[in-house]
Amino acid sequence: MTPQRVVVVYEHGADLRPFGSAQIRLLRPLSHPALQEHFETTFNWAYRGEPADAVIVDRLWRSDLSLASAHKLVQDVRRAGARFIYALDDDFLSLPLTAAPGYFNAEKRRGAEFWLREADGVLVTTAALQQRLSAYTGNCVVLPNVLDERLLIGGLPLPLETPFGPRRITIGYMGTFTHEADWQLILPAWRRIYELYGDTLEFQVIGVSERVQALAQHAGVPVRIVRPRAEEIEYPLFMLWFTGHVHWDIAVAPLLDTPFTQCKSDIKFLDYSALGAATIASRVSVYEASVRHGETGWLAENTVEAWVNALDTLIVDAELRSALATQAQQHLMKERTLARSAGAWTNAFEQLSAGAG
């Protein structure tokens, strides 16, 4: 079998390093040992006309993406005789231009729309996104997010009892700056729960934005901001740090129900499962499709009362908390790792090739 020559042009910032989403969806899978006989892959922040069977362009590519640069990239790929594949995990066409200032703008949207129309194939992470993009392309393949098992080293819960007495139950949240509104959705519930249980709980947050601690303090909730060292911020080392050093009993995944979020993946549930935490997630389509309520996680309506009840249930019931975490972790390792889903990549490329042209 002759491996396909693939060039991945990943999304990056000013430092030219790949974003975490590119690592999860492209770099980690296409460098995994299980796929080495199928793909001969190179990764770069730009495409310089290298010989290839396919060039995969990731999300919004670079900070100064314009319609002109989007055109030029497609021309370069066509000139090299390669297939142009667009990889996308967010519905940027539904994202308000004011939602992510400094990252998203009208010019980037025009570039993304152009790529969707020009691509020989589009690779997405959810069926909802596939459906949303059907007006732009008839060759769109779903490849769900999975985790690289080589980066998962933790997931063992800490004992509730220590030589110094019972430890605090830790409730955590992780998200980028674009998820501040989601985090604020559950802040009133955290306040109510803190009023009930006080210092028997500890609230931890990773990421979001610098405003989080101020917002939490204003709401009367003590929140500990947890950060990796600077050298551990990039995705592979971050996941080793996250699964090896963070110990949460309960992890929350609030998500507002909007046209944009309806196309998101359940990656946060996977991350929390790798951690060995019991997940409480919003009862929205993203999580309803993967979280089995009462078995691998807990689903809550997007109301303060529902989130208070969910948190209270898992705080009180240690056995339920442990069962949810264990079953979620088993589900992850059996069905949602790269080692288990390598075949999906070869199938996806077969479908993209068959529908191209």
Side-chain angles (χ1 to χ4, degrees):
M1 175 187 296
T2 302
Q4 292 199 55
R5 298 169 301 169
V6 177
V7 176
V8 172
V9 182
Y10 55 74
E11 187 178 35
H12 61 276
D15 61 359
L16 305 184
R17 304 297 298 170
F19 285 172
S21 58
Q23 292 273 8
I24 296 166
R25 296 163 27 255
L26 299 171
L27 275 68
R28 300 304 300 184
L30 287 168
S31 62
H32 194 278
L35 289 174
Q36 293 311 292
E37 67 178 286
H38 300 283
F39 301 103
E40 182 182 297
T41 312
T42 58
F43 309 95
N44 209 331
W45 54 271
Y47 179 63
R48 298 184 175 86
E50 305 96 310
D53 298 304
V55 176
I56 303 177
V57 178
D58 181 36
R59 285 170 53 98
L60 300 178
W61 182 26
R62 64 192 204 193
S63 61
D64 62 345
L65 175 65
S66 64
L67 184 57
S69 60
H71 270 273
K72 184 179 184 307
L73 182 58
V74 172
Q75 290 172 353
D76 291 343
V77 174
R78 300 281 188 240
R79 192 176 298 115
R83 298 193 307 278
F84 177 76
I85 296 175
Y86 189 28
L88 200 59
D89 65 339
D90 270 326
D91 179 17
F92 289 114
L93 307 186
S94 296
L95 184 65
L97 294 177
T98 58
Y103 172 71
F104 187 64
N105 54 42
E107 192 69 9
K108 286 187 174 182
R109 176 180 286 171
R110 284 190 284 270
E113 286 185 300
F114 173 73
W115 282 340
L116 285 169
R117 293 190 178 98
E118 287 293 314
D120 297 302
V122 178
L123 196 59
V124 297
T125 50
T126 68
L129 185 54
Q130 180 190 49
Q131 178 62 32
R132 191 71 58 82
L133 301 180
S134 60
Y136 292 87
T137 175
N139 190 25
C140 187
V141 175
V142 178
L143 196 57
N145 278 334
V146 296
L147 297 186
D148 188 341
E149 71 285 348
R150 296 171 296 174
L151 303 179
L152 311 181
I153 63 173
L156 296 176
L158 296 176
L160 289 174
E161 294 292 330
T162 76
F164 307 100
R167 66 169 176 82
R168 294 175 176 178
I169 293 174
T170 305
I171 302 171
Y173 173 78
M174 177 175 67
T176 63
F177 73 96
T178 61
H179 289 277
E180 185 177 309
D182 298 321
W183 183 80
Q184 289 189 62
L185 171 70
I186 62 160
L187 186 55
W190 276 23
R191 182 177 63 246
R192 291 261 298 274
I193 284 293
Y194 182 68
E195 290 170 354
L196 288 172
Y197 292 98
D199 290 337
T200 63
L201 305 178
E202 177 170 325
F203 300 92
Q204 295 185 4
V205 171
I206 298 174
V208 191
S209 77
E210 293 300 320
R211 293 199 328 123
V212 164
Q213 199 161 30
L215 290 168
Q217 288 175 346
H218 181 72
V221 181
V223 169
R224 179 184 168 202
I225 306 298
V226 182
R227 295 185 179 92
R229 295 176 299 179
E231 61 268 26
E232 294 172 320
I233 290 176
E234 196 166 354
Y235 181 77
L237 289 181
F238 174 84
M239 284 302 291
L240 292 171
W241 169 82
F242 181 64
T243 59
H245 292 85
V246 176
H247 301 283
W248 292 345
D249 299 286
I250 301 169
V252 296
L255 190 66
L256 294 170
D257 194 10
T258 69
F260 176 71
T261 62
Q262 286 163 6
C263 293
K264 282 191 163 293
S265 81
D266 61 348
I267 189 67
K268 201 178 299 295
F269 171 56
L270 302 185
D271 289 339
Y272 292 163
S273 299
L275 196 64
T279 297
I280 302 175
S282 287
R283 189 181 285 278
V284 295
S285 57
V286 172
Y287 293 118
E288 285 181 311
S290 59
V291 178
R292 298 195 299 272
H293 179 69
E295 296 181 31
T296 60
W298 202 264
L299 297 173
E301 303 290 342
N302 278 341
T303 67
V304 174
E305 200 61 40
W307 273 92
V308 169
N309 290 337
L311 287 164
D312 188 49
T313 297
L314 295 195
I315 289 168
V316 171
D317 195 335
E319 288 189 10
L320 174 61
R321 204 167 62 228
S322 177
L324 296 180
T326 299
Q327 288 162 181
Q329 199 169 58
Q330 290 173 348
H331 167 73
L332 168 67
M333 299 309 294
K334 288 179 181 178
E335 300 184 32
R336 300 295 296 275
T337 64
L338 283 173
R340 294 285 186 175
S341 61
W345 267 92
T346 56
N347 292 337
F349 262 74
E350 288 175 3
Q351 293 178 59
L352 288 171
S353 299

